[in-house]
Structures are given as C-alpha cells and as structure tokens.
Amino acid sequence: MVIEPGGIKTEWPAIAAQKVLGVSGSGPYAPQSTAVATSLTAESTQRRSSPPQLIAGTITKAVTARRPKTRYAVGFGAKPMIFLRGALPDRAFDTVIRRATGVPAT
C-alpha cells in the first residue's frame, strides 16, 4: 500500500527551502530556487497544510484494515495533484506546478 500525502504541517518545508537555496540559490537556477523556497515557506502554504495527525490516522487505518486500499491520498492537495498528473501531458503539468510555485519560465 502507498500513502501519498499532500501538504502537511511539519518542519519539512523550511528544511527543503534551506536546502534548495543552499544548493542552487546562487547559481544559474537562483530565480527558480528562490521561487520554490518562497512557496514552501509562505504563510498561505502553512495555513492550507493538513495536520500530521491526518497522516498518522490514515496509516493506522491502512494497517488495521481487513482489506486495505492500494493507495491512500490524504492531506491538502493530494487528490487534485494526482488527478492532474494523470490527466495532463508532462509540459502542461509542469506549467501548472511552475505557476503554482511562482517559478519563472526558463
């Protein structure tokens, strides 16, 4: 079984933002890395994120189910993101992600 979480309120976004800036913040990908880091740490991102208890409860439900689902998509944005990934061609999906994170087009 697979648990596919959407946005979850944890320290991960801040850690990821620091890492992306540390690796790519001053090179040729600086505009993109800055946009991604800003998106990850935005207050609006944290407000929309789901509590970690949602994932813990889903894991509990999955491991105790008599007939568990193959896939559990939970948390903010998980289901729409999975749908879009399957419904859109790669370039269109990349455009959606780029616009959502504010990454400038290259």
Side-chain angles (χ1 to χ4, degrees), residues 33-93:
S33 63
T34 300
V36 168
T38 300
S39 175
L40 285 169
T41 58
E43 184 181 329
S44 61
T45 300
Q46 283 299 307
R47 270 197 323 270
R48 290 188 306 247
S49 296
S50 301
Q53 294 84 352
L54 177 65
I55 301 304
T58 302
I59 292 170
T60 301
K61 179 180 172 182
V63 299
T64 59
R66 193 171 137 267
R67 293 181 52 98
K69 296 178 184 179
T70 303
R71 188 172 305 272
Y72 293 84
V74 294
F76 176 77
K79 289 178 184 177
M81 191 61 64
I82 292 167
F83 171 77
L84 287 174
R85 185 67 197 103
L88 297 175
D90 290 339
R91 286 184 188 211
F93 182 76

Short mmCIF file of all heavy atoms in Angstrom, two decimals, residues 33-93:
data_model
loop_
_atom_site.label_atom_id
_atom_site.label_comp_id
_atom_site.label_asym_id
_atom_site.label_seq_id
_atom_site.Cartn_x
_atom_site.Cartn_y
_atom_site.Cartn_z
N SER A 33 15.04 28.51 -7.72
CA SER A 33 15.19 28.02 -6.34
C SER A 33 14.62 29.01 -5.34
O SER A 33 14.01 28.61 -4.34
CB SER A 33 16.64 27.68 -6.03
OG SER A 33 17.46 28.81 -6.10
N THR A 34 14.78 30.29 -5.59
CA THR A 34 14.21 31.31 -4.71
C THR A 34 12.69 31.24 -4.73
O THR A 34 12.04 31.32 -3.67
CB THR A 34 14.68 32.72 -5.12
OG1 THR A 34 16.11 32.76 -5.02
CG2 THR A 34 14.08 33.79 -4.24
N ALA A 35 12.11 31.06 -5.91
CA ALA A 35 10.65 30.96 -6.02
C ALA A 35 10.13 29.72 -5.29
O ALA A 35 9.12 29.79 -4.58
CB ALA A 35 10.22 30.93 -7.49
N VAL A 36 10.81 28.60 -5.44
CA VAL A 36 10.39 27.37 -4.76
C VAL A 36 10.50 27.53 -3.25
O VAL A 36 9.59 27.18 -2.50
CB VAL A 36 11.20 26.15 -5.26
CG1 VAL A 36 10.99 24.94 -4.37
CG2 VAL A 36 10.83 25.83 -6.70
N ALA A 37 11.63 28.09 -2.78
CA ALA A 37 11.82 28.29 -1.34
C ALA A 37 10.76 29.22 -0.77
O ALA A 37 10.22 28.97 0.31
CB ALA A 37 13.22 28.83 -1.07
N THR A 38 10.44 30.26 -1.50
CA THR A 38 9.41 31.21 -1.05
C THR A 38 8.06 30.53 -0.97
O THR A 38 7.31 30.70 0.00
CB THR A 38 9.35 32.42 -2.00
OG1 THR A 38 10.63 33.07 -1.98
CG2 THR A 38 8.27 33.40 -1.58
N SER A 39 7.74 29.72 -1.97
CA SER A 39 6.47 29.00 -1.98
C SER A 39 6.39 28.01 -0.82
O SER A 39 5.35 27.89 -0.16
CB SER A 39 6.31 28.26 -3.31
OG SER A 39 5.16 27.47 -3.30
N LEU A 40 7.48 27.30 -0.56
CA LEU A 40 7.49 26.31 0.52
C LEU A 40 7.27 26.93 1.89
O LEU A 40 6.65 26.32 2.76
CB LEU A 40 8.82 25.55 0.52
CG LEU A 40 9.01 24.51 -0.57
CD1 LEU A 40 10.46 24.04 -0.60
CD2 LEU A 40 8.07 23.34 -0.37
N THR A 41 7.79 28.13 2.09
CA THR A 41 7.73 28.75 3.41
C THR A 41 6.66 29.82 3.56
O THR A 41 6.54 30.44 4.61
CB THR A 41 9.11 29.36 3.77
OG1 THR A 41 9.47 30.32 2.77
CG2 THR A 41 10.18 28.29 3.86
N ALA A 42 5.84 30.00 2.53
CA ALA A 42 4.79 31.02 2.59
C ALA A 42 3.77 30.69 3.67
O ALA A 42 3.44 29.53 3.91
CB ALA A 42 4.10 31.12 1.23
N GLU A 43 3.28 31.72 4.31
CA GLU A 43 2.26 31.56 5.35
C GLU A 43 1.02 30.87 4.79
O GLU A 43 0.41 30.03 5.44
CB GLU A 43 1.89 32.91 5.95
CG GLU A 43 0.90 32.80 7.09
CD GLU A 43 0.53 34.16 7.66
OE1 GLU A 43 1.35 35.07 7.64
OE2 GLU A 43 -0.61 34.27 8.12
N SER A 44 0.66 31.21 3.55
CA SER A 44 -0.52 30.60 2.94
C SER A 44 -0.34 29.09 2.76
O SER A 44 -1.30 28.33 2.90
CB SER A 44 -0.84 31.25 1.60
OG SER A 44 0.25 31.09 0.71
N THR A 45 0.87 28.66 2.48
CA THR A 45 1.14 27.22 2.35
C THR A 45 0.93 26.53 3.69
O THR A 45 0.30 25.47 3.76
CB THR A 45 2.59 26.99 1.86
OG1 THR A 45 2.74 27.62 0.58
CG2 THR A 45 2.90 25.51 1.73
N GLN A 46 1.43 27.12 4.75
CA GLN A 46 1.26 26.54 6.08
C GLN A 46 -0.21 26.52 6.50
O GLN A 46 -0.67 25.55 7.10
CB GLN A 46 2.10 27.28 7.11
CG GLN A 46 3.56 26.93 7.06
CD GLN A 46 3.80 25.46 7.35
OE1 GLN A 46 3.35 24.93 8.35
NE2 GLN A 46 4.50 24.79 6.47
N ARG A 47 -0.95 27.58 6.18
CA ARG A 47 -2.38 27.64 6.54
C ARG A 47 -3.17 26.53 5.87
O ARG A 47 -4.10 25.99 6.45
CB ARG A 47 -2.97 28.99 6.14
CG ARG A 47 -2.89 30.06 7.21
CD ARG A 47 -3.84 31.21 6.93
NE ARG A 47 -4.01 31.57 5.53
CZ ARG A 47 -3.26 32.47 4.88
NH1 ARG A 47 -2.31 33.11 5.50
NH2 ARG A 47 -3.48 32.74 3.62
N ARG A 48 -2.83 26.24 4.62
CA ARG A 48 -3.58 25.22 3.87
C ARG A 48 -3.13 23.81 4.19
O ARG A 48 -3.83 22.85 3.86
CB ARG A 48 -3.42 25.46 2.37
CG ARG A 48 -4.11 26.70 1.89
CD ARG A 48 -4.07 26.76 0.37
NE ARG A 48 -2.71 26.65 -0.13
CZ ARG A 48 -2.05 27.62 -0.75
NH1 ARG A 48 -2.62 28.76 -0.96
NH2 ARG A 48 -0.82 27.42 -1.18
N SER A 49 -1.98 23.65 4.78
CA SER A 49 -1.45 22.31 5.04
C SER A 49 -2.26 21.58 6.09
O SER A 49 -2.84 22.17 6.99
CB SER A 49 0.01 22.41 5.49
OG SER A 49 0.80 22.94 4.46
N SER A 50 -2.29 20.26 5.97
CA SER A 50 -3.05 19.41 6.88
C SER A 50 -2.22 19.04 8.10
O SER A 50 -0.99 18.98 8.02
CB SER A 50 -3.47 18.13 6.15
OG SER A 50 -4.24 18.45 5.02
N PRO A 51 -2.87 18.75 9.22
CA PRO A 51 -2.11 18.37 10.42
C PRO A 51 -1.48 16.98 10.26
O PRO A 51 -2.05 16.11 9.59
CB PRO A 51 -3.17 18.37 11.52
CG PRO A 51 -4.46 18.18 10.81
CD PRO A 51 -4.30 18.79 9.45
N PRO A 52 -0.33 16.75 10.89
CA PRO A 52 0.33 15.44 10.80
C PRO A 52 -0.55 14.30 11.32
O PRO A 52 -0.42 13.17 10.86
CB PRO A 52 1.57 15.60 11.68
CG PRO A 52 1.78 17.05 11.84
CD PRO A 52 0.45 17.71 11.66
N GLN A 53 -1.46 14.61 12.23
CA GLN A 53 -2.34 13.58 12.77
C GLN A 53 -3.19 12.93 11.67
O GLN A 53 -3.59 11.77 11.80
CB GLN A 53 -3.26 14.17 13.86
CG GLN A 53 -2.54 14.63 15.09
CD GLN A 53 -1.98 16.05 14.96
OE1 GLN A 53 -2.00 16.67 13.90
NE2 GLN A 53 -1.46 16.57 16.06
N LEU A 54 -3.46 13.67 10.61
CA LEU A 54 -4.23 13.12 9.49
C LEU A 54 -3.47 11.96 8.86
O LEU A 54 -4.05 10.91 8.57
CB LEU A 54 -4.51 14.20 8.45
CG LEU A 54 -5.23 13.75 7.18
CD1 LEU A 54 -6.64 13.29 7.52
CD2 LEU A 54 -5.26 14.86 6.17
N ILE A 55 -2.18 12.12 8.68
CA ILE A 55 -1.37 11.05 8.09
C ILE A 55 -1.26 9.88 9.06
O ILE A 55 -1.39 8.72 8.67
CB ILE A 55 0.03 11.56 7.70
CG1 ILE A 55 -0.08 12.71 6.70
CG2 ILE A 55 0.88 10.43 7.14
CD1 ILE A 55 -0.85 12.40 5.44
N ALA A 56 -1.03 10.18 10.34
CA ALA A 56 -0.93 9.12 11.34
C ALA A 56 -2.23 8.31 11.39
O ALA A 56 -2.19 7.07 11.43
CB ALA A 56 -0.63 9.72 12.71
N GLY A 57 -3.35 8.98 11.36
CA GLY A 57 -4.64 8.29 11.37
C GLY A 57 -4.85 7.45 10.12
O GLY A 57 -5.40 6.35 10.19
N THR A 58 -4.39 7.95 8.99
CA THR A 58 -4.51 7.20 7.75
C THR A 58 -3.64 5.95 7.77
O THR A 58 -4.06 4.88 7.33
CB THR A 58 -4.14 8.09 6.55
OG1 THR A 58 -5.01 9.24 6.54
CG2 THR A 58 -4.29 7.34 5.23
N ILE A 59 -2.44 6.07 8.31
CA ILE A 59 -1.56 4.90 8.42
C ILE A 59 -2.20 3.86 9.33
O ILE A 59 -2.23 2.67 9.01
CB ILE A 59 -0.16 5.32 8.93
CG1 ILE A 59 0.54 6.15 7.86
CG2 ILE A 59 0.66 4.09 9.32
CD1 ILE A 59 1.81 6.82 8.32
N THR A 60 -2.73 4.32 10.46
CA THR A 60 -3.41 3.40 11.38
C THR A 60 -4.57 2.70 10.69
O THR A 60 -4.73 1.47 10.79
CB THR A 60 -3.91 4.16 12.63
OG1 THR A 60 -2.80 4.76 13.28
CG2 THR A 60 -4.64 3.24 13.58
N LYS A 61 -5.36 3.46 9.97
CA LYS A 61 -6.50 2.90 9.24
C LYS A 61 -6.03 1.87 8.21
O LYS A 61 -6.61 0.79 8.08
CB LYS A 61 -7.26 4.04 8.55
CG LYS A 61 -8.44 3.62 7.76
CD LYS A 61 -9.09 4.86 7.14
CE LYS A 61 -10.19 4.50 6.17
NZ LYS A 61 -10.77 5.69 5.56
N ALA A 62 -4.96 2.19 7.50
CA ALA A 62 -4.46 1.31 6.44
C ALA A 62 -3.92 -0.01 7.00
O ALA A 62 -4.20 -1.08 6.45
CB ALA A 62 -3.39 2.02 5.64
N VAL A 63 -3.16 0.07 8.09
CA VAL A 63 -2.54 -1.17 8.61
C VAL A 63 -3.52 -2.03 9.40
O VAL A 63 -3.25 -3.21 9.61
CB VAL A 63 -1.26 -0.89 9.44
CG1 VAL A 63 -0.20 -0.22 8.60
CG2 VAL A 63 -1.57 -0.10 10.68
N THR A 64 -4.61 -1.45 9.82
CA THR A 64 -5.60 -2.23 10.58
C THR A 64 -6.79 -2.66 9.74
O THR A 64 -7.64 -3.42 10.22
CB THR A 64 -6.10 -1.45 11.81
OG1 THR A 64 -6.70 -0.23 11.38
CG2 THR A 64 -4.96 -1.17 12.78
N ALA A 65 -6.86 -2.20 8.50
CA ALA A 65 -7.99 -2.54 7.63
C ALA A 65 -7.95 -4.02 7.24
O ALA A 65 -6.87 -4.56 6.97
CB ALA A 65 -7.96 -1.68 6.37
N ARG A 66 -9.09 -4.63 7.21
CA ARG A 66 -9.18 -6.02 6.79
C ARG A 66 -8.79 -6.15 5.32
O ARG A 66 -8.11 -7.08 4.93
CB ARG A 66 -10.60 -6.54 7.03
CG ARG A 66 -10.72 -8.03 6.93
CD ARG A 66 -12.11 -8.50 7.40
NE ARG A 66 -12.57 -9.52 6.46
CZ ARG A 66 -13.32 -9.31 5.39
NH1 ARG A 66 -13.77 -8.12 5.13
NH2 ARG A 66 -13.67 -10.30 4.60
N ARG A 67 -9.23 -5.19 4.52
CA ARG A 67 -8.88 -5.15 3.10
C ARG A 67 -8.39 -3.74 2.77
O ARG A 67 -9.17 -2.91 2.29
CB ARG A 67 -10.09 -5.50 2.24
CG ARG A 67 -10.54 -6.96 2.41
CD ARG A 67 -11.72 -7.29 1.54
NE ARG A 67 -11.53 -6.94 0.14
CZ ARG A 67 -11.15 -7.79 -0.80
NH1 ARG A 67 -10.93 -9.04 -0.50
NH2 ARG A 67 -11.00 -7.39 -2.05
N PRO A 68 -7.12 -3.46 3.04
CA PRO A 68 -6.62 -2.09 2.82
C PRO A 68 -6.62 -1.70 1.35
O PRO A 68 -6.50 -2.55 0.47
CB PRO A 68 -5.20 -2.15 3.37
CG PRO A 68 -4.82 -3.58 3.32
CD PRO A 68 -6.08 -4.36 3.50
N LYS A 69 -6.79 -0.41 1.13
CA LYS A 69 -6.71 0.11 -0.23
C LYS A 69 -5.25 0.00 -0.70
O LYS A 69 -4.33 -0.06 0.11
CB LYS A 69 -7.10 1.60 -0.25
CG LYS A 69 -8.52 1.87 0.14
CD LYS A 69 -8.75 3.38 0.11
CE LYS A 69 -10.13 3.75 0.58
NZ LYS A 69 -10.31 5.22 0.57
N THR A 70 -5.07 0.04 -1.99
CA THR A 70 -3.71 0.03 -2.55
C THR A 70 -3.05 1.38 -2.32
O THR A 70 -1.86 1.48 -2.08
CB THR A 70 -3.77 -0.27 -4.06
OG1 THR A 70 -4.42 -1.51 -4.23
CG2 THR A 70 -2.38 -0.32 -4.66
N ARG A 71 -3.86 2.44 -2.38
CA ARG A 71 -3.32 3.79 -2.34
C ARG A 71 -4.23 4.68 -1.49
O ARG A 71 -5.44 4.65 -1.64
CB ARG A 71 -3.26 4.31 -3.77
CG ARG A 71 -2.58 5.61 -3.97
CD ARG A 71 -2.42 5.89 -5.46
NE ARG A 71 -1.74 4.83 -6.19
CZ ARG A 71 -0.43 4.73 -6.34
NH1 ARG A 71 0.35 5.64 -5.83
NH2 ARG A 71 0.10 3.73 -7.02
N TYR A 72 -3.62 5.46 -0.63
CA TYR A 72 -4.33 6.44 0.20
C TYR A 72 -3.75 7.82 -0.11
O TYR A 72 -2.59 8.08 0.16
CB TYR A 72 -4.14 6.15 1.69
CG TYR A 72 -4.77 4.86 2.17
CD1 TYR A 72 -4.12 3.65 2.02
CD2 TYR A 72 -6.02 4.88 2.78
CE1 TYR A 72 -4.69 2.47 2.47
CE2 TYR A 72 -6.60 3.69 3.23
CZ TYR A 72 -5.93 2.50 3.06
OH TYR A 72 -6.51 1.34 3.51
N ALA A 73 -4.56 8.68 -0.70
CA ALA A 73 -4.15 10.05 -0.98
C ALA A 73 -4.84 10.95 0.05
O ALA A 73 -6.06 11.05 0.06
CB ALA A 73 -4.56 10.46 -2.39
N VAL A 74 -4.05 11.55 0.93
CA VAL A 74 -4.61 12.36 2.01
C VAL A 74 -3.82 13.64 2.20
O VAL A 74 -2.65 13.73 1.85
CB VAL A 74 -4.66 11.58 3.35
CG1 VAL A 74 -5.61 10.42 3.27
CG2 VAL A 74 -3.28 11.11 3.74
N GLY A 75 -4.47 14.62 2.76
CA GLY A 75 -3.82 15.90 3.03
C GLY A 75 -4.14 16.90 1.93
O GLY A 75 -4.63 16.56 0.85
N PHE A 76 -3.83 18.15 2.21
CA PHE A 76 -4.16 19.24 1.30
C PHE A 76 -3.53 19.02 -0.08
O PHE A 76 -2.32 18.87 -0.21
CB PHE A 76 -3.71 20.59 1.86
CG PHE A 76 -3.95 21.71 0.90
CD1 PHE A 76 -5.22 22.22 0.75
CD2 PHE A 76 -2.94 22.22 0.12
CE1 PHE A 76 -5.49 23.24 -0.16
CE2 PHE A 76 -3.17 23.25 -0.78
CZ PHE A 76 -4.45 23.75 -0.92
N GLY A 77 -4.37 19.01 -1.09
CA GLY A 77 -3.92 18.97 -2.47
C GLY A 77 -3.51 17.61 -3.01
O GLY A 77 -3.19 17.51 -4.19
N ALA A 78 -3.52 16.57 -2.22
CA ALA A 78 -3.04 15.26 -2.69
C ALA A 78 -3.89 14.73 -3.84
O ALA A 78 -3.35 14.36 -4.89
CB ALA A 78 -3.00 14.26 -1.54
N LYS A 79 -5.19 14.68 -3.67
CA LYS A 79 -6.04 14.10 -4.70
C LYS A 79 -6.05 14.93 -5.99
O LYS A 79 -5.90 14.36 -7.07
CB LYS A 79 -7.46 13.89 -4.17
CG LYS A 79 -7.51 12.76 -3.15
CD LYS A 79 -8.90 12.58 -2.59
CE LYS A 79 -8.86 11.52 -1.50
NZ LYS A 79 -10.16 11.34 -0.87
N PRO A 80 -6.19 16.25 -5.90
CA PRO A 80 -6.15 17.03 -7.15
C PRO A 80 -4.80 16.90 -7.87
O PRO A 80 -4.74 16.83 -9.09
CB PRO A 80 -6.38 18.47 -6.71
CG PRO A 80 -7.00 18.38 -5.37
CD PRO A 80 -6.55 17.10 -4.77
N MET A 81 -3.71 16.84 -7.12
CA MET A 81 -2.39 16.73 -7.73
C MET A 81 -2.24 15.40 -8.47
O MET A 81 -1.72 15.35 -9.59
CB MET A 81 -1.30 16.86 -6.67
CG MET A 81 0.06 17.04 -7.25
SD MET A 81 0.24 18.52 -8.25
CE MET A 81 -0.02 19.79 -7.04
N ILE A 82 -2.70 14.33 -7.86
CA ILE A 82 -2.64 13.01 -8.50
C ILE A 82 -3.50 13.00 -9.76
O ILE A 82 -3.09 12.48 -10.80
CB ILE A 82 -3.05 11.90 -7.52
CG1 ILE A 82 -2.00 11.78 -6.42
CG2 ILE A 82 -3.25 10.58 -8.24
CD1 ILE A 82 -2.44 10.94 -5.23
N PHE A 83 -4.68 13.60 -9.67
CA PHE A 83 -5.56 13.67 -10.84
C PHE A 83 -4.89 14.46 -11.96
O PHE A 83 -4.85 14.01 -13.11
CB PHE A 83 -6.90 14.32 -10.47
CG PHE A 83 -7.75 14.61 -11.68
CD1 PHE A 83 -8.44 13.58 -12.31
CD2 PHE A 83 -7.81 15.88 -12.21
CE1 PHE A 83 -9.21 13.83 -13.44
CE2 PHE A 83 -8.56 16.14 -13.35
CZ PHE A 83 -9.26 15.11 -13.96
N LEU A 84 -4.37 15.64 -11.64
CA LEU A 84 -3.74 16.47 -12.67
C LEU A 84 -2.55 15.77 -13.30
O LEU A 84 -2.34 15.86 -14.51
CB LEU A 84 -3.29 17.81 -12.09
CG LEU A 84 -4.39 18.80 -11.77
CD1 LEU A 84 -3.81 20.02 -11.07
CD2 LEU A 84 -5.14 19.21 -13.03
N ARG A 85 -1.77 15.08 -12.50
CA ARG A 85 -0.59 14.38 -13.02
C ARG A 85 -0.99 13.34 -14.05
O ARG A 85 -0.32 13.16 -15.05
CB ARG A 85 0.19 13.74 -11.87
CG ARG A 85 1.49 13.09 -12.31
CD ARG A 85 2.46 14.19 -12.77
NE ARG A 85 3.53 13.64 -13.56
CZ ARG A 85 3.62 13.72 -14.89
NH1 ARG A 85 2.70 14.32 -15.61
NH2 ARG A 85 4.63 13.20 -15.52
N GLY A 86 -2.09 12.67 -13.81
CA GLY A 86 -2.55 11.65 -14.76
C GLY A 86 -3.31 12.22 -15.95
O GLY A 86 -3.29 11.64 -17.04
N ALA A 87 -3.95 13.37 -15.76
CA ALA A 87 -4.81 13.93 -16.80
C ALA A 87 -4.08 14.84 -17.78
O ALA A 87 -4.50 14.98 -18.92
CB ALA A 87 -5.96 14.71 -16.16
N LEU A 88 -3.00 15.44 -17.34
CA LEU A 88 -2.30 16.42 -18.18
C LEU A 88 -1.04 15.83 -18.80
O LEU A 88 -0.36 15.02 -18.18
CB LEU A 88 -1.91 17.64 -17.35
CG LEU A 88 -3.02 18.47 -16.73
CD1 LEU A 88 -2.45 19.57 -15.86
CD2 LEU A 88 -3.89 19.08 -17.84
N PRO A 89 -0.71 16.30 -19.99
CA PRO A 89 0.60 15.94 -20.54
C PRO A 89 1.71 16.55 -19.67
O PRO A 89 1.46 17.51 -18.91
CB PRO A 89 0.60 16.58 -21.93
CG PRO A 89 -0.79 17.04 -22.19
CD PRO A 89 -1.50 17.13 -20.88
N ASP A 90 2.90 16.04 -19.79
CA ASP A 90 4.02 16.49 -18.95
C ASP A 90 4.22 18.00 -18.98
O ASP A 90 4.36 18.64 -17.94
CB ASP A 90 5.33 15.80 -19.36
CG ASP A 90 5.35 14.33 -19.00
OD1 ASP A 90 4.57 13.92 -18.12
OD2 ASP A 90 6.15 13.60 -19.60
N ARG A 91 4.24 18.58 -20.14
CA ARG A 91 4.50 20.04 -20.24
C ARG A 91 3.40 20.85 -19.57
O ARG A 91 3.67 21.85 -18.92
CB ARG A 91 4.67 20.46 -21.69
CG ARG A 91 5.99 20.01 -22.24
CD ARG A 91 6.19 20.51 -23.65
NE ARG A 91 7.39 19.89 -24.18
CZ ARG A 91 8.17 20.45 -25.05
NH1 ARG A 91 7.90 21.64 -25.53
NH2 ARG A 91 9.25 19.82 -25.49
N ALA A 92 2.16 20.43 -19.75
CA ALA A 92 1.05 21.15 -19.11
C ALA A 92 1.13 21.02 -17.59
O ALA A 92 0.93 21.99 -16.87
CB ALA A 92 -0.29 20.62 -19.62
N PHE A 93 1.44 19.82 -17.10
CA PHE A 93 1.58 19.62 -15.66
C PHE A 93 2.73 20.47 -15.11
O PHE A 93 2.60 21.13 -14.08
CB PHE A 93 1.81 18.14 -15.34
CG PHE A 93 1.92 17.88 -13.87
CD1 PHE A 93 0.78 17.87 -13.07
CD2 PHE A 93 3.15 17.64 -13.27
CE1 PHE A 93 0.88 17.62 -11.70
CE2 PHE A 93 3.25 17.40 -11.91
CZ PHE A 93 2.11 17.38 -11.13
#
